[in-house]
Amino acid sequence: MQRTPDLESRTVPEDHQDLRLWLRLLTCCNLIEGEIRSRLRTEFETTLPRFDLMAQLLRVPGGMKMSELSQHMMVTNGNITGITDQLEKEGLVERVKVASDRRSSLIRLTTKGKRTFKKMAKLHEEWIRSMFGGLSEQTRSALFEALGELKAMTRPKLSGRS
């Protein structure tokens, strides 16, 4: 079976190093994300956006408004509504009206949702550990520091854009 070339494999030695670095970083992210998506689908019949939404809610036991969820997940309110509707039908989240604002609801995990998410999160952590486990501690630390520098340099440049 022939593998589909990744983004980085399309580069040539004459391409500047920054482009090659960007495509390597993007390729690694895509490969890791693809593996996580596949495992969530296979093991739990769920999606990464559903997992991410539940992760956000676990951190805020009192619940979050849709707008807060969309900001934290960097997606539209419409996306959050669709995911929330599915999770609510499955009994994993509930909508609770805000007493001070009848138009608003807080979304929070149900007991079943917490239990389900904790099972997923435990395996998710094992998957991440196994994917990075082949790297030495020194390499992981250096990569973490380097990406931190990149994040710090890039964030102010991007924050002014819409």
Side-chain angles (χ1 to χ4, degrees):
M1 178 167 97
Q2 185 179 1
R3 293 185 59 161
T4 304
D6 57 48
L7 294 169
E8 182 188 4
S9 67
R10 298 176 192 162
T11 62
V12 294
E14 295 77 30
D15 288 333
H16 60 85
Q17 186 177 17
D18 292 335
L19 175 63
R20 292 190 349 255
L21 177 60
W22 158 241
L23 291 175
R24 176 166 291 178
L25 183 60
L26 186 58
T27 296
C28 288
C29 288
N30 288 343
L31 290 170
I32 292 167
E33 183 179 316
E35 184 64 22
I36 295 297
R37 285 179 185 276
S38 175
R39 290 181 183 195
L40 284 170
R41 191 172 37 256
T42 301
E43 296 286 329
F44 298 103
E45 296 180 0
T46 197
T47 64
L48 187 54
R50 289 165 51 109
F51 178 87
D52 289 344
L53 188 142
M54 292 175 76
Q56 294 296 324
L57 293 176
L58 188 71
R59 291 182 180 99
V60 184
M64 298 174 77
K65 291 182 179 181
M66 294 271 192
S67 58
E68 293 172 312
L69 280 165
S70 69
Q71 287 175 341
H72 284 275
M73 293 177 63
M74 297 184 280
V75 297
T76 66
N77 281 349
N79 288 3
I80 297 299
T81 300
I83 296 167
T84 299
D85 289 346
Q86 293 169 1
L87 292 172
E88 187 177 34
K89 285 178 190 170
E90 295 172 31
L92 300 173
V93 302
E94 61 186 355
R95 287 179 166 94
V96 179
K97 290 287 182 194
V98 176
S100 61
D101 181 0
R102 292 186 176 257
R103 293 174 294 160
S104 294
S105 294
L106 292 175
I107 311 305
R108 66 180 180 203
L109 289 174
T110 61
T111 302
K112 177 183 176 184
K114 289 175 192 171
R115 190 174 52 247
T116 300
F117 178 76
K118 286 178 181 178
K119 287 180 194 172
M120 288 190 288
K122 185 177 182 338
L123 269 180
H124 178 269
E125 183 177 340
E126 290 174 17
W127 301 334
I128 297 297
R129 286 178 178 263
S130 72
M131 284 185 249
F132 287 91
L135 298 173
S136 71
E137 180 60 38
Q138 181 180 359
T139 299
R140 285 195 309 267
S141 292
L143 183 56
F144 185 80
E145 291 301 317
L147 290 173
E149 285 180 42
L150 178 62
K151 179 181 175 184
M153 280 180 28
T154 306
R155 177 166 268 165
K157 292 177 186 174
L158 296 179
S159 65
R161 295 184 183 165
S162 43

